[in-house]
Amino acid sequence: MRPPCDPSKFIAEAVKSIPPSGIRRFFDLVSGLEDIISLGVGEPDFITPWHIREMCIHSLEKGQTSYTSNSGLPELRDELTRTYYRRYGLDYNPESEILITTGVSEALDIAIRAVVNPGDEVIVVQPSYVAYVPSVIMAGGKPVIVSTHRDDDFSLTAEVLEPAITSKTKAIVLNFPNNPTGAIMQKEGMEDIADLVVENDLFLISDEVYECLTYEGTHVPFSSLEGMKDRTVMLNGFSKAYAMTGLRLGFAMGAPDIIHSMMMIHQYCMLCAPITAQVGAIEALRNGKGEMERMVREYDRRRHFIVNGFNRIGLECCNPKGAFYAFPYIGDTGLSSSDFAERLLNEKKIVTIPGDVFGEAGEGFLRCAYAASLDDIKKAIERMGDFVDGLKQ
Protein backbone atom coordinates (compact mmCIF):
# COMPACT_ATOMS: atom_id res chain seq x y z
CA MET A 1 0.00 0.00 0.00
CA ARG A 2 1.33 3.41 -0.93
CA PRO A 3 1.90 5.74 2.03
CA PRO A 4 -0.40 8.77 2.63
CA CYS A 5 0.75 12.20 1.49
CA ASP A 6 0.78 15.54 3.29
CA PRO A 7 0.03 18.03 0.48
CA SER A 8 0.99 21.02 2.66
CA LYS A 9 4.69 20.19 2.26
CA PHE A 10 4.48 21.15 -1.40
CA ILE A 11 3.27 24.70 -0.74
CA ALA A 12 5.80 27.41 -1.57
CA GLU A 13 7.38 29.20 1.40
CA ALA A 14 6.49 32.60 -0.07
CA VAL A 15 2.81 31.65 -0.10
CA LYS A 16 2.96 30.30 3.44
CA SER A 17 4.30 33.63 4.63
CA ILE A 18 1.42 35.78 3.40
CA PRO A 19 -1.64 36.26 5.63
CA PRO A 20 -5.22 35.82 4.43
CA SER A 21 -6.98 39.04 3.46
CA GLY A 22 -8.42 40.80 6.49
CA ILE A 23 -11.16 42.20 4.28
CA ARG A 24 -12.31 38.69 3.33
CA ARG A 25 -12.35 37.70 7.00
CA PHE A 26 -14.97 40.31 7.76
CA PHE A 27 -17.10 39.26 4.82
CA ASP A 28 -17.00 35.70 6.19
CA LEU A 29 -18.22 36.98 9.57
CA VAL A 30 -21.19 38.65 7.86
CA SER A 31 -22.35 35.40 6.27
CA GLY A 32 -25.80 34.42 7.53
CA LEU A 33 -26.47 37.67 9.41
CA GLU A 34 -29.60 39.72 8.65
CA ASP A 35 -30.35 43.45 8.77
CA ILE A 36 -26.73 44.21 7.89
CA ILE A 37 -25.61 47.63 6.68
CA SER A 38 -22.33 47.33 4.82
CA LEU A 39 -19.77 50.10 4.66
CA GLY A 40 -17.14 47.48 4.00
CA VAL A 41 -17.26 46.80 0.28
CA GLY A 42 -14.93 48.82 -1.94
CA GLU A 43 -17.37 48.59 -4.80
CA PRO A 44 -19.78 51.12 -6.34
CA ASP A 45 -23.40 50.56 -5.40
CA PHE A 46 -24.36 51.76 -8.88
CA ILE A 47 -25.12 49.38 -11.72
CA THR A 48 -22.86 49.62 -14.74
CA PRO A 49 -24.45 52.31 -16.96
CA TRP A 50 -26.89 50.87 -19.48
CA HIS A 51 -25.11 52.09 -22.61
CA ILE A 52 -21.99 50.17 -21.50
CA ARG A 53 -23.96 47.03 -20.72
CA GLU A 54 -25.78 47.36 -24.03
CA MET A 55 -22.51 47.39 -25.98
CA CYS A 56 -21.37 44.30 -24.09
CA ILE A 57 -24.65 42.54 -24.88
CA HIS A 58 -24.47 43.60 -28.54
CA SER A 59 -20.92 42.27 -28.81
CA LEU A 60 -22.09 38.89 -27.50
CA GLU A 61 -25.01 38.87 -29.92
CA LYS A 62 -22.54 39.45 -32.74
CA GLY A 63 -20.47 36.51 -31.54
CA GLN A 64 -17.48 38.51 -30.31
CA THR A 65 -16.25 35.83 -27.91
CA SER A 66 -12.74 35.22 -29.22
CA TYR A 67 -9.31 35.93 -27.80
CA THR A 68 -7.87 39.37 -28.44
CA SER A 69 -4.21 40.18 -28.90
CA ASN A 70 -2.17 39.81 -25.70
CA SER A 71 -1.97 43.58 -25.41
CA GLY A 72 -5.73 44.10 -25.78
CA LEU A 73 -8.02 45.41 -28.49
CA PRO A 74 -6.28 48.08 -30.62
CA GLU A 75 -9.43 50.23 -30.49
CA LEU A 76 -9.32 50.27 -26.68
CA ARG A 77 -5.64 51.15 -26.55
CA ASP A 78 -6.25 53.93 -29.09
CA GLU A 79 -9.05 55.32 -26.90
CA LEU A 80 -6.81 55.26 -23.85
CA THR A 81 -4.11 57.13 -25.76
CA ARG A 82 -6.59 59.83 -26.76
CA THR A 83 -8.10 60.00 -23.26
CA TYR A 84 -4.81 60.54 -21.43
CA TYR A 85 -3.55 63.02 -23.97
CA ARG A 86 -6.78 64.99 -23.63
CA ARG A 87 -6.79 64.89 -19.83
CA TYR A 88 -3.12 65.39 -19.01
CA GLY A 89 -1.13 65.92 -22.19
CA LEU A 90 0.41 62.46 -21.74
CA ASP A 91 1.36 60.77 -24.99
CA TYR A 92 1.40 56.97 -24.76
CA ASN A 93 2.01 54.86 -27.86
CA PRO A 94 -0.94 52.42 -28.07
CA GLU A 95 1.25 49.81 -29.76
CA SER A 96 4.07 49.65 -27.23
CA GLU A 97 3.19 51.58 -24.06
CA ILE A 98 -0.26 50.26 -23.06
CA LEU A 99 -1.27 46.80 -21.83
CA ILE A 100 -4.87 45.76 -21.11
CA THR A 101 -5.13 43.46 -18.07
CA THR A 102 -7.70 41.40 -16.22
CA GLY A 103 -8.39 44.00 -13.56
CA VAL A 104 -5.91 46.34 -11.89
CA SER A 105 -4.98 43.49 -9.56
CA GLU A 106 -3.34 41.61 -12.43
CA ALA A 107 -1.61 44.79 -13.58
CA LEU A 108 -0.18 45.25 -10.08
CA ASP A 109 1.01 41.65 -9.84
CA ILE A 110 2.78 41.58 -13.20
CA ALA A 111 4.23 45.08 -12.78
CA ILE A 112 5.93 44.00 -9.57
CA ARG A 113 7.08 40.69 -11.06
CA ALA A 114 8.43 42.49 -14.11
CA VAL A 115 10.80 44.72 -12.14
CA VAL A 116 11.60 42.97 -8.84
CA ASN A 117 14.48 40.55 -8.44
CA PRO A 118 14.85 38.31 -5.36
CA GLY A 119 16.13 40.42 -2.47
CA ASP A 120 15.20 43.79 -3.99
CA GLU A 121 13.66 46.18 -1.52
CA VAL A 122 10.31 47.67 -2.52
CA ILE A 123 8.89 50.55 -0.53
CA VAL A 124 5.16 50.18 0.13
CA VAL A 125 3.38 53.30 1.34
CA GLN A 126 0.78 52.48 4.01
CA PRO A 127 -2.06 52.49 4.92
CA SER A 128 -2.58 50.79 1.59
CA TYR A 129 -4.57 48.22 -0.33
CA VAL A 130 -4.03 44.74 1.08
CA ALA A 131 -2.48 43.23 -2.08
CA TYR A 132 0.68 45.32 -2.26
CA VAL A 133 2.83 43.63 0.39
CA PRO A 134 1.86 40.04 -0.57
CA SER A 135 2.57 40.83 -4.23
CA VAL A 136 6.08 41.99 -3.36
CA ILE A 137 6.71 38.92 -1.21
CA MET A 138 5.51 36.50 -3.90
CA ALA A 139 7.87 38.19 -6.38
CA GLY A 140 10.79 37.50 -4.03
CA GLY A 141 11.15 41.12 -2.98
CA LYS A 142 11.43 42.58 0.50
CA PRO A 143 8.65 45.04 1.38
CA VAL A 144 9.80 48.12 3.29
CA ILE A 145 6.94 49.96 4.91
CA VAL A 146 6.65 53.75 4.93
CA SER A 147 3.74 55.03 6.98
CA THR A 148 1.67 58.14 6.32
CA HIS A 149 -0.13 59.88 9.17
CA ARG A 150 -3.34 61.79 9.82
CA ASP A 151 -1.36 64.91 10.81
CA ASP A 152 -0.39 65.10 7.11
CA ASP A 153 -3.88 64.04 5.97
CA PHE A 154 -2.22 60.71 5.07
CA SER A 155 -0.36 62.34 2.18
CA LEU A 156 3.17 61.11 1.49
CA THR A 157 6.03 63.53 2.10
CA ALA A 158 9.63 63.33 0.92
CA GLU A 159 10.80 63.72 4.53
CA VAL A 160 8.99 60.52 5.51
CA LEU A 161 10.04 58.60 2.39
CA GLU A 162 13.75 59.43 2.21
CA PRO A 163 14.97 57.51 5.31
CA ALA A 164 13.53 54.26 3.91
CA ILE A 165 15.62 54.41 0.72
CA THR A 166 18.74 52.23 0.73
CA SER A 167 21.18 50.89 -1.84
CA LYS A 168 18.88 47.86 -2.22
CA THR A 169 15.72 49.86 -2.96
CA LYS A 170 14.39 49.10 -6.44
CA ALA A 171 10.86 50.51 -6.55
CA ILE A 172 8.09 52.30 -4.70
CA VAL A 173 4.44 51.23 -4.71
CA LEU A 174 1.92 53.92 -3.92
CA ASN A 175 -1.76 54.66 -4.42
CA PHE A 176 -3.32 58.11 -4.66
CA PRO A 177 -6.20 58.79 -4.35
CA ASN A 178 -5.71 56.32 -1.56
CA ASN A 179 -7.53 53.22 -0.43
CA PRO A 180 -8.30 53.23 2.53
CA THR A 181 -7.72 56.85 3.63
CA GLY A 182 -9.12 58.85 0.69
CA ALA A 183 -5.95 60.96 0.73
CA ILE A 184 -4.64 62.66 -2.40
CA MET A 185 -1.27 64.16 -3.31
CA GLN A 186 -0.68 67.80 -4.18
CA LYS A 187 1.60 68.49 -7.12
CA GLU A 188 4.21 70.29 -4.99
CA GLY A 189 4.61 67.24 -2.75
CA MET A 190 4.70 64.95 -5.78
CA GLU A 191 7.57 66.96 -7.25
CA ASP A 192 9.57 66.39 -4.05
CA ILE A 193 8.89 62.64 -4.30
CA ALA A 194 9.91 62.70 -7.98
CA ASP A 195 13.21 64.35 -7.05
CA LEU A 196 13.96 61.50 -4.64
CA VAL A 197 13.01 58.88 -7.23
CA VAL A 198 15.34 60.38 -9.83
CA GLU A 199 18.20 61.06 -7.40
CA ASN A 200 18.14 57.45 -6.21
CA ASP A 201 17.44 55.91 -9.63
CA LEU A 202 14.20 54.23 -8.53
CA PHE A 203 11.09 52.97 -10.29
CA LEU A 204 7.54 53.96 -9.37
CA ILE A 205 4.48 51.71 -9.49
CA SER A 206 1.55 54.11 -9.23
CA ASP A 207 -1.93 52.66 -8.66
CA GLU A 208 -4.30 55.41 -9.81
CA VAL A 209 -7.54 53.44 -10.04
CA TYR A 210 -9.39 56.17 -8.11
CA GLU A 211 -8.13 58.90 -10.44
CA CYS A 212 -11.60 60.03 -11.53
CA LEU A 213 -12.87 60.09 -7.95
CA THR A 214 -11.01 63.27 -6.99
CA TYR A 215 -13.30 65.79 -5.28
CA GLU A 216 -10.95 68.64 -4.38
CA GLY A 217 -8.33 69.88 -6.79
CA THR A 218 -7.30 68.03 -9.94
CA HIS A 219 -5.67 64.62 -10.15
CA VAL A 220 -2.05 64.74 -11.32
CA PRO A 221 -0.49 61.48 -12.60
CA PHE A 222 3.07 60.91 -11.42
CA SER A 223 4.01 60.08 -15.00
CA SER A 224 3.06 63.61 -16.07
CA LEU A 225 5.88 65.13 -13.99
CA GLU A 226 9.14 66.04 -15.67
CA GLY A 227 11.45 63.03 -16.02
CA MET A 228 8.93 60.58 -14.55
CA LYS A 229 7.15 59.05 -17.56
CA ASP A 230 9.81 56.39 -18.17
CA ARG A 231 10.29 55.82 -14.42
CA THR A 232 6.60 55.16 -13.74
CA VAL A 233 4.15 52.46 -14.63
CA MET A 234 0.65 53.82 -14.12
CA LEU A 235 -2.03 51.30 -13.21
CA ASN A 236 -5.72 52.02 -13.65
CA GLY A 237 -8.99 50.40 -14.60
CA PHE A 238 -12.72 50.71 -15.13
CA SER A 239 -14.09 49.22 -11.91
CA LYS A 240 -14.43 52.32 -9.75
CA ALA A 241 -15.09 55.17 -12.19
CA TYR A 242 -17.56 53.29 -14.39
CA ALA A 243 -18.99 50.76 -11.88
CA MET A 244 -17.57 47.82 -13.86
CA THR A 245 -16.05 45.79 -11.00
CA GLY A 246 -17.24 42.36 -12.13
CA LEU A 247 -16.08 42.89 -15.68
CA ARG A 248 -12.48 42.76 -14.41
CA LEU A 249 -10.67 45.16 -16.69
CA GLY A 250 -7.56 47.20 -16.00
CA PHE A 251 -4.61 48.63 -17.87
CA ALA A 252 -1.00 49.63 -17.45
CA MET A 253 0.78 52.52 -19.13
CA GLY A 254 4.55 52.85 -19.15
CA ALA A 255 7.82 52.70 -21.05
CA PRO A 256 8.00 50.12 -23.87
CA ASP A 257 10.55 47.92 -22.08
CA ILE A 258 8.40 47.77 -18.95
CA ILE A 259 5.14 47.13 -20.80
CA HIS A 260 6.80 44.44 -22.95
CA SER A 261 8.13 42.70 -19.85
CA MET A 262 4.70 42.82 -18.23
CA MET A 263 3.14 41.48 -21.42
CA MET A 264 5.56 38.54 -21.39
CA ILE A 265 4.17 37.49 -18.00
CA HIS A 266 0.59 38.34 -18.97
CA GLN A 267 0.68 36.19 -22.11
CA TYR A 268 1.49 33.09 -20.07
CA CYS A 269 -0.64 33.64 -16.97
CA MET A 270 -3.69 35.32 -18.53
CA LEU A 271 -3.22 35.48 -22.33
CA CYS A 272 -5.67 38.37 -22.72
CA ALA A 273 -8.39 40.28 -20.89
CA PRO A 274 -12.03 39.33 -21.61
CA ILE A 275 -13.14 40.71 -24.96
CA THR A 276 -16.66 41.59 -23.72
CA ALA A 277 -15.23 43.79 -20.99
CA GLN A 278 -12.89 45.46 -23.48
CA VAL A 279 -15.83 46.33 -25.75
CA GLY A 280 -17.62 47.84 -22.75
CA ALA A 281 -14.53 49.84 -21.84
CA ILE A 282 -14.34 51.37 -25.31
CA GLU A 283 -17.92 52.56 -24.89
CA ALA A 284 -17.14 53.88 -21.40
CA LEU A 285 -14.26 56.00 -22.68
CA ARG A 286 -16.18 57.29 -25.69
CA ASN A 287 -19.55 58.04 -24.12
CA GLY A 288 -19.38 57.39 -20.37
CA LYS A 289 -18.22 60.74 -19.03
CA GLY A 290 -21.71 62.01 -18.16
CA GLU A 291 -22.71 58.90 -16.18
CA MET A 292 -19.32 58.78 -14.48
CA GLU A 293 -19.60 62.40 -13.39
CA ARG A 294 -23.14 61.79 -12.10
CA MET A 295 -21.83 58.97 -9.88
CA VAL A 296 -18.94 61.10 -8.67
CA ARG A 297 -21.32 63.92 -7.69
CA GLU A 298 -23.35 61.46 -5.64
CA TYR A 299 -20.23 60.09 -3.93
CA ASP A 300 -19.27 63.67 -3.10
CA ARG A 301 -22.66 64.28 -1.49
CA ARG A 302 -22.29 61.14 0.60
CA ARG A 303 -18.70 62.10 1.47
CA HIS A 304 -19.79 65.32 3.13
CA PHE A 305 -22.57 63.55 5.01
CA ILE A 306 -20.49 60.67 6.36
CA VAL A 307 -17.54 62.84 7.45
CA ASN A 308 -19.85 65.29 9.23
CA GLY A 309 -21.66 62.35 10.78
CA PHE A 310 -18.52 60.77 12.17
CA ASN A 311 -17.29 64.04 13.64
CA ARG A 312 -20.71 64.65 15.16
CA ILE A 313 -20.73 61.33 17.04
CA GLY A 314 -17.21 61.86 18.34
CA LEU A 315 -15.13 59.91 15.82
CA GLU A 316 -12.63 62.37 14.40
CA CYS A 317 -12.44 61.99 10.63
CA CYS A 318 -10.08 63.65 8.17
CA ASN A 319 -11.64 65.01 5.01
CA PRO A 320 -11.08 62.40 2.28
CA LYS A 321 -10.43 64.24 -0.97
CA GLY A 322 -10.56 61.22 -3.25
CA ALA A 323 -11.71 57.58 -3.64
CA PHE A 324 -14.90 56.63 -1.76
CA TYR A 325 -13.66 55.85 1.73
CA ALA A 326 -13.76 57.67 5.04
CA PHE A 327 -11.16 56.73 7.66
CA PRO A 328 -12.44 57.80 11.10
CA TYR A 329 -10.20 57.60 14.17
CA ILE A 330 -11.49 55.24 16.87
CA GLY A 331 -8.33 55.12 19.01
CA ASP A 332 -9.86 57.20 21.81
CA THR A 333 -12.52 54.54 22.46
CA GLY A 334 -10.02 52.20 24.09
CA LEU A 335 -10.68 49.46 21.52
CA SER A 336 -8.37 48.22 18.82
CA SER A 337 -9.52 48.58 15.24
CA SER A 338 -10.37 44.88 15.01
CA ASP A 339 -12.23 44.78 18.33
CA PHE A 340 -14.20 47.90 17.42
CA ALA A 341 -15.16 46.54 14.02
CA GLU A 342 -16.14 43.10 15.36
CA ARG A 343 -18.24 44.51 18.19
CA LEU A 344 -19.87 47.02 15.84
CA LEU A 345 -20.80 44.15 13.55
CA ASN A 346 -22.11 41.88 16.29
CA GLU A 347 -23.92 44.54 18.31
CA LYS A 348 -25.12 47.01 15.66
CA LYS A 349 -24.99 44.99 12.40
CA ILE A 350 -22.63 47.47 10.69
CA VAL A 351 -19.85 46.16 8.48
CA THR A 352 -16.65 48.21 8.44
CA ILE A 353 -13.04 47.19 7.85
CA PRO A 354 -10.50 47.59 10.68
CA GLY A 355 -7.71 49.94 9.72
CA ASP A 356 -4.89 47.58 10.72
CA VAL A 357 -5.84 45.37 7.76
CA PHE A 358 -4.15 48.07 5.64
CA GLY A 359 -0.92 48.08 7.67
CA GLU A 360 0.20 49.06 11.15
CA ALA A 361 -0.33 52.73 10.29
CA GLY A 362 -4.05 51.95 10.03
CA GLU A 363 -4.39 50.81 13.64
CA GLY A 364 -6.84 53.06 15.48
CA PHE A 365 -8.93 53.67 12.36
CA LEU A 366 -11.81 52.11 10.42
CA ARG A 367 -12.32 52.06 6.67
CA CYS A 368 -15.89 52.98 5.87
CA ALA A 369 -16.95 53.00 2.23
CA TYR A 370 -19.53 55.57 1.23
CA ALA A 371 -20.22 53.58 -1.93
CA ALA A 372 -23.53 52.78 -0.22
CA SER A 373 -26.90 54.51 -0.39
CA LEU A 374 -27.36 57.71 1.59
CA ASP A 375 -30.19 56.05 3.53
CA ASP A 376 -27.86 53.23 4.59
CA ILE A 377 -25.15 55.73 5.54
CA LYS A 378 -27.64 57.67 7.69
CA LYS A 379 -28.73 54.48 9.47
CA ALA A 380 -25.12 53.41 9.93
CA ILE A 381 -24.13 56.73 11.51
CA GLU A 382 -27.10 56.54 13.88
CA ARG A 383 -26.24 52.99 14.96
CA MET A 384 -22.56 53.83 15.31
CA GLY A 385 -23.44 56.86 17.43
CA ASP A 386 -25.39 54.58 19.78
CA PHE A 387 -22.46 52.17 19.88
CA VAL A 388 -19.94 54.91 20.73
CA ASP A 389 -22.24 56.30 23.42
CA GLY A 390 -22.51 52.81 24.90
CA LEU A 391 -18.72 52.57 25.16
CA LYS A 392 -18.69 55.67 27.38
CA GLN A 393 -21.00 54.15 29.99
Side-chain angles (χ1 to χ4, degrees), residues 37-49 53 210 213 215 239-246 291-292 294-303 324-325 369-377:
I37 296 176
S38 180
L39 304 181
V41 182
E43 178 175 30
D45 63 319
F46 298 104
I47 298 172
T48 306
R53 286 180 283 144
Y210 295 98
L213 279 66
Y215 310 107
S239 294
K240 313 300 182 181
Y242 298 100
M244 293 170 61
T245 50
E291 282 294 303
M292 181 264 288
R294 179 186 66 82
M295 290 187 279
V296 172
R297 285 194 297 270
E298 178 58 22
Y299 291 139
D300 194 21
R301 188 165 75 105
R302 298 171 187 178
R303 176 177 73 108
F324 44 47
Y325 308 105
Y370 47 90
S373 72
L374 194 58
D375 284 344
D376 277 352
I377 292 172

Side-chain angles (χ1 to χ4, degrees), residues 90 92 97 111 115 172 174 190 194 197-198 202-208 221-235 252-256 258-259 262:
L90 281 167
Y92 283 101
E97 296 182 315
V115 302
I172 303 170
L174 44 71
M190 293 172 65
V197 169
V198 173
L202 304 179
F203 190 73
L204 193 65
I205 300 171
S206 183
D207 179 353
E208 301 183 21
F222 262 99
S223 52
S224 69
L225 303 180
E226 181 185 359
M228 288 299 292
K229 185 169 180 279
D230 287 344
R231 289 185 176 273
T232 304
V233 62
M234 177 169 54
L235 312 180
M253 308 176 91
I258 299 296
I259 294 300
M262 291 174 64

Side-chain angles (χ1 to χ4, degrees), residues 136-162:
V136 172
I137 291 172
M138 287 190 287
K142 178 185 176 182
V144 175
I145 306 305
V146 169
S147 298
T148 59
H149 304 282
R150 62 173 173 157
D151 291 343
D152 298 315
D153 290 334
F154 293 103
S155 186
L156 178 65
T157 65
E159 291 75 18
V160 170
L161 177 63
E162 187 169 18

